Amino acid sequence: MEDGKKITGLALGSGGARGLCEIGVLLWLKEHDVKIGCVAGSSIGSLIGGAYAAGFTPEYMKEIAMRVGWKDYFRVMKLSFKGRSVLRWEKIEQKLRIDLGGKMIEELKIPFACVASDIDSGSEFIFREGDLVEAISASACMPGIFPPVKAMGRHFVDGELTNPVPIDLAMELGADRVIGVNACRSIFLERISHKAGHIGLIERVDGWVRGSMDKNTLIASISPHKWLDIQKNEKTGERRRNIMDVFTDSIAITTSRVLALNEMKWGPHFMISPGVGAFQDLDFDRAGEIIDIGYNETERVKDELLHFVGA
């Protein structure tokens, strides 16, 4: 609901698969008739926010997230051998174009903008117009994991590096008050483990690579199911950080500092912080859990949230 003519904006933050909790937040907002006048996104938030601004319902986004299986991931998550990244982006961009078509940002149903990081200058860059898929690709491109996106003579990587939850951008779009969603990773070691026995995307990719190289006896001797044993600390039984953990934990340290600095310049805002910090960036197979956490956290803070939006 809107209080008079005040506009409520939405700032959807970064977080990889953790950002699927934003779908849960959108579901709750729709159920409670909280009208959103503009949307700003960063990283995965640019994808979810862009789709929402384009007219995708939260229910449809949840359906898509829930029905994607491992075969779909391997179909789009292609290894890169060009030396610039671990995975290629082309297949993902093709899938986005199938789903979103050739939509332009300035033609969306709800005012939208997203943030990316210019790796050449180190500065924040705002996409306010132009090709929606190109903007989302630039904003969601995890450095090192995917190659930089080249557009307008610049090279872009993940918006998380410069503005993880773009409250200020939602303000620039005309919001009088902003609901933010923070899905950033926890940097605490005791919160990084999967459920006992869970084999995530990184472990499955590792197993696939090993399986494709089964003629190498040294590599083939380690099955994907033994990964979990390798990852455990022999003395404590705790799961050790793998290469993805090291990368994402390093980014998380930077993100926490950027959020702290940005908070000093934000206007009126209400931050929803679902407890998804223990999930990994590529835990898309756990969409149901993550979406529910987003919904339940919004329900938990509903009294304060409804008061904030004047309902």
Side-chain angles (χ1 to χ4, degrees):
M1 298 178 184
E2 291 193 5
D3 182 14
K5 295 183 179 181
K6 287 188 176 181
I7 296 174
T8 299
L10 189 63
L12 300 180
S14 57
R18 294 182 300 278
L20 295 175
C21 69
E22 295 162 354
I23 297 176
V25 174
L26 288 172
L27 284 166
W28 191 96
L29 294 176
K30 181 180 179 181
E31 286 182 9
H32 293 79
D33 198 29
V34 177
K35 303 298 183 184
I36 300 300
C38 59
V39 182
S42 179
S43 193
I44 184 70
S46 69
L47 172 57
I48 295 173
Y52 181 71
F56 284 38
T57 66
E59 292 86 356
Y60 182 59
M61 285 190 275
K62 179 178 180 178
E63 178 187 333
I64 293 175
M66 294 288 290
R67 74 179 181 217
V68 175
W70 285 113
K71 290 183 180 180
D72 299 287
Y73 291 129
F74 286 124
R75 196 171 292 128
V76 298
M77 296 285 190
K78 300 295 185 181
L79 290 173
S80 173
F81 299 98
K82 296 182 179 180
R84 295 187 302 160
S85 62
V86 176
L87 300 173
R88 292 157 52 191
W89 184 259
E90 292 90 340
K91 291 290 185 181
I92 299 176
E93 182 175 342
Q94 290 173 12
K95 183 67 169 63
L96 290 176
R97 292 201 179 280
I98 292 172
D99 292 337
L100 295 172
K103 289 183 172 61
M104 305 295 284
I105 293 174
E106 56 270 32
E107 299 171 352
L108 299 180
K109 295 182 177 181
I110 300 174
F112 170 78
C114 65
V115 57
S117 302
D118 184 337
I119 199 172
D120 297 319
S121 68
S123 61
E124 176 183 340
F125 185 88
I126 307 300
F127 285 88
R128 294 184 173 86
E129 59 183 13
D131 186 345
L132 176 61
V133 170
E134 181 177 75
I136 291 172
S137 296
S139 180
C141 183
M142 295 171 62
I145 304 302
F146 298 105
V149 171
K150 187 175 182 179
M152 297 173 288
R154 303 170 185 243
H155 294 87
F156 296 107
V157 293
D158 207 307
E160 178 174 13
L161 299 176
T162 49
N163 200 342
V165 186
I167 300 285
D168 54 338
L169 181 54
M171 292 284 185
E172 290 178 22
L173 288 172
D176 299 293
R177 57 200 174 198
V178 180
I179 300 170
V181 184
N182 179 7
C184 295
R185 182 169 172 81
S186 168
I187 59 175
F188 300 106
L189 182 61
E190 63 268 25
R191 298 189 64 192
I192 69 171
S193 297
H194 281 301
K195 285 183 176 178
H198 178 80
I199 299 178
L201 179 59
I202 294 299
E203 291 83 2
R204 287 180 183 265
V205 169
D206 175 79
W208 172 66
V209 171
R210 296 183 195 284
S212 67
M213 301 176 69
D214 57 7
K215 291 185 179 180
N216 185 317
T217 56
L218 178 61
I219 296 178
S221 64
I222 305 176
S223 72
H225 289 279
K226 290 182 180 178
W227 174 283
L228 294 176
D229 295 328
I230 294 171
Q231 289 292 302
K232 289 181 180 178
N233 185 303
E234 293 179 0
K235 293 182 179 179
T236 65
E238 294 179 349
R239 177 180 174 277
R240 291 173 174 169
R241 283 185 170 98
N242 59 36
I243 189 171
M244 191 66 179
D245 292 324
V246 173
F247 172 77
T248 54
D249 286 349
S250 298
I251 295 294
I253 294 171
T254 301
T255 299
S256 65
R257 300 296 187 271
V258 174
L259 279 172
L261 290 172
N262 285 354
E263 190 170 8
M264 294 188 291
K265 62 181 181 181
W266 286 339
H269 69 281
F270 186 95
M271 188 70 79
I272 300 173
S273 299
V276 293
F279 292 90
Q280 291 192 4
D281 286 59
L282 299 179
D283 276 346
F284 290 99
D285 61 314
R286 302 174 74 179
E289 296 174 65
I290 297 171
I291 292 170
D292 287 346
I293 290 172
Y295 183 95
N296 293 336
E297 176 61 18
T298 312
E299 173 68 18
R300 189 185 72 81
V301 300
K302 65 178 181 180
D303 292 339
E304 297 95 327
L305 177 55
L306 292 174
H307 176 75
F308 175 74
V309 298

